[in-house]
Amino acid sequence: MNYYRDTWAEIDLSAIQENIASFRKHLPQKTNIMAVVKANAYGHGAYQVASAAVEAGATWLSVALMDEAIALRKQGIEEPILVMGVTRPSDVRLAYEWKISLTVFQQEWLHEASKQLVDGEAVNVHLKVDTGMGRIGARSFEDIQQVATTIASNPHFIFEGMFTHFATADELQSELVDQQFARFEDVVDMVRQMGVEPTYLHCGNSAASLRFPTKLFNIARIGIAMYGLTPSPEMKAVLPFSLKPALSLHTKLVHVKKVEPGDTVSYGATYVALKEEWIGTLPIGYADGWIRRYGENGEVLVQGKRTRFAGRICMDQSMIQLPHEMNVGETVTLIGRQGEAEISADDVARQAMTINYEISCLLTARVPRIYKKQGRILEKMNAILNF
Ligand SMILES: Cc1ncc(COP(=O)(O)O)c(C=O)c1O
């Protein structure tokens, strides 16, 4: 589908597949790869990433919301999907109808949900254990035992999995991750002693999967690293294989002008030209996910060189300094490479004092996604016109 403004994100599905292939070699054979495609695959496009990931060897998918799971099913994805967030018990029938696995951990939830199902109907559930993340999950052994007993004894539930999530797997000096591993192992032993064996046990996100490949039981839940980004800056030093970033972001100059000393640029007139300067206007702004903070210290690439924003980023447009006069239509790269030069999502995150996860997640539906495989364009996705 076409788009009518020269701002676009390129998603290299081959990079995603290479990253999965690297994980496949790195992880024991028994460990399934679950491609984490929540939040529109961290902004990359859930359906396209899910399809590419499955083709490359992922056997599971996961999302945060039931809505995201149903969307994948409606687009024809047949692999098992786990909703990792909390679903309303009143929506449990949707999970049954669409064959979606749910995260559970509350007695009351199980009680309510089971009332929605009739004889012969059962949903796959994964018991979430809070071993130290402090977000969702059953915490005490007593609670875990009770919930496990209910799942195992109620015919409306299939005890498909049990899992936990690490808070600090991306921190090399953290003791919490060891404590969480130990706690999860104890919980697994306890549940086994009850005579219950969930089919899948899982704990590792990208960071844990990169660092502790043999300790992950039988699923690794891989998000950020599948997109080619390192879970934290400190982990760059210990990566067992190189990761290939999948997303790049580009636009084109739509206006070029010379300003005189004393002229100001953009809202608030915070940028004041000190000499004669060339200023370029880009058709991208905070409504595209290029937030105002990126303008403060951020850089872009034009003609293979780094340059800075001039003044505040607007809703739909932003201005940059140009080293000399340039033509309208010149490509400007906000994330990605131009020749030898590169601006990574990590660079953007560092300058904006945030994490790389946020950068692609924030790109809005207004930015068309161009999908490439082996250098060839597969599909152009413009969500604005996709109805
Ligand atoms: C429960 C759970 N598992 C796995 C992941 C994937 O994490 P990462 O992107 O660090 O691999 C997430 C993402 O936040 C998550 O919430």
Side-chain angles (χ1 to χ4, degrees), residues 31-45:
T31 308
N32 290 272
I33 292 178
M34 175 186 279
V36 181
V37 295
K38 60 183 175 159
N40 197 29
Y42 296 28
H44 294 64

Side-chain angles (χ1 to χ4, degrees), residues 36 38 42 84 128 135 163-165 204-207 221-225 231 357:
V36 181
K38 60 183 175 159
Y42 296 28
M84 299 189 296
K128 180 77 185 274
R135 192 166 61 180
F163 74 113
T164 195
H165 187 54
N205 53 2
S206 295
R221 304 189 306 269
I222 299 177
I224 198 76
Y357 292 68

Side-chain angles (χ1 to χ4, degrees), residues 297-311:
N297 295 303
E299 293 178 314
V300 298
L301 298 175
V302 60
Q303 293 186 347
K305 297 216 165 56
R306 284 174 177 258
T307 186
R308 300 177 79 88
F309 286 92

Side-chain angles (χ1 to χ4, degrees), residues 169-208:
D170 61 338
E171 292 176 22
L172 301 182
Q173 302 304 329
S174 169
E175 284 171 16
L176 179 59
V177 65
D178 300 328
Q179 291 162 9
Q180 286 197 257
F181 261 123
R183 176 94 181 155
F184 190 57
E185 280 155 11
D186 288 348
V187 169
V188 169
D189 286 346
M190 181 188 75
V191 170
R192 280 182 178 149
Q193 275 164 27
M194 292 165 58
V196 179
E197 182 72 49
T199 315
Y200 296 102
L201 298 167
H202 45 115
C203 55
N205 53 2
S206 295

